Amino acid sequence: MYPRPSNSERPAPQDLQAVEWLTQLLLQSLSLKASDIHLEPFDNLLRVRIRRDGHLYEMPAPPAGLREQIVSRIKVQSRMDIAEKRLPQDGRLQLALQHRSVDMRVSSLPTLHGEKMVLRILDVQSQPLSFEALGMPDKELEQLQHAIHRPNGMVLITGPTGSGKTVTLYTCLNHLNTPSVNIATVEDPSEIVLPGTNQINVNERIGLTFDVALRALLRQDPDILMVGEIRDFATADMAVKASQTGHLVLSTLHTNDAASTLTRLNHMGMAGFNLASSVALICAQRLLRRLCDACKQPMPDQASYKAVGCPQCLDGYAGRIAIHQVMPITASLQALVLQQASAGELAAQAAREGVRSLRQAGMSKVAAGETTIEEVMAATHE
């Protein structure tokens, strides 16, 4: 028999309450398919919000006396320094909930009234890595598949934070992942674990940056490289050189559309002749909220639907869909890149070649009854 713990070793009632409250919050967040949980300290309460389908929703706050215990519990589970409250920290935790394992990325930030905690839910099981799940039209999907099956070159996925770029990249990697190829990824950090690939997290504090990791990976006999994000000239230069020396490179940038990606790289310092010879395809994308099938109602013109709201959804929307602008780099576009043409000139030429804008892609989803005009207008611009 094990000795009974003394009173000093038994968990305090408040600690047990904090664990129970946190467990219920995590279960509820998973059931609502939230992507993030925000715990924000204020003068007299801990505000709780979840991000669902890109929008924040407020949740019931815990009792004021549990605030410190909740934050401490999260930091312990995430292997953070519980005594350090002056500096931001990052951690990761894994929980077994409802007969499945859920990974979370945790970030702490000191604020005026205490530490704010944000938990990013990395629920890979809810994100099937299949081309069918991307929702691309057949023509654009064929163009993307053709580009990623090239022996070398660059395929770039662009869009703002939270637009699903990582899922698109890993869908491509999952399709390419066979024993006959060597795949390596460099990210900050890796959010999706893909067995059979070599995944590296950058660590700038020790000098392991994107370009340093890329330079090392090129000595590891790779076939396919995935760079989480091109942030600067050094990373862009290494990625372009890798694509020109017999490697397929997949990466992301934060740009508004496909055409402006080329001008952004040019402004970083990349020569036009290098871009023209290395970039094979650019895919810009956004995520829109999907209309709830149970309560959506047709508009008077019968050409679109409106969000209503019902017990099965929060405000008329349930889940999200992606819209894409897929732009293969053709010979005419290469010629414009060599001439250092503007983003407008590149976009005009792409439109003449049949490349849809993001707004056009969104309006096709409206016509199909999958989303609303308001969602498309909010996420795109012309």
Side-chain angles (χ1 to χ4, degrees), residues 297-368:
Q297 291 183 2
M299 298 289 283
D301 59 7
Q302 300 292 316
S304 60
Y305 288 80
K306 66 178 180 179
V308 178
C310 70
Q312 297 186 32
C313 62
L314 291 179
D315 50 8
Y317 297 95
R320 290 198 283 183
I321 56 174
I323 56 173
H324 305 87
Q325 180 191 33
V326 179
M327 188 177 81
I329 307 303
T330 60
S332 56
L333 286 172
Q334 287 178 335
L336 287 175
V337 172
L338 289 171
Q339 298 168 19
Q340 294 189 333
S342 67
E345 293 171 314
L346 292 166
Q349 177 59 35
R352 287 191 289 269
E353 296 178 3
V355 176
R356 298 189 304 171
S357 68
L358 282 167
R359 180 159 293 178
Q360 289 172 330
M363 294 309 293
S364 70
K365 299 292 186 181
V366 171

Side-chain angles (χ1 to χ4, degrees), residues 144-165:
L144 176 62
Q145 290 177 328
H146 176 74
I148 65 173
H149 281 95
R150 289 171 48 130
N152 62 287
M154 290 183 69
V155 175
L156 301 173
I157 312 296
T158 75
T161 300
S163 59
K165 300 185 298 295

Side-chain angles (χ1 to χ4, degrees), residues 64-78:
L66 296 182
R67 184 164 79 178
E68 294 299 326
Q69 287 80 3
I70 290 169
V71 171
S72 296
R73 174 68 177 177
I74 294 172
K75 292 177 73 173
V76 169
Q77 291 285 91
S78 308

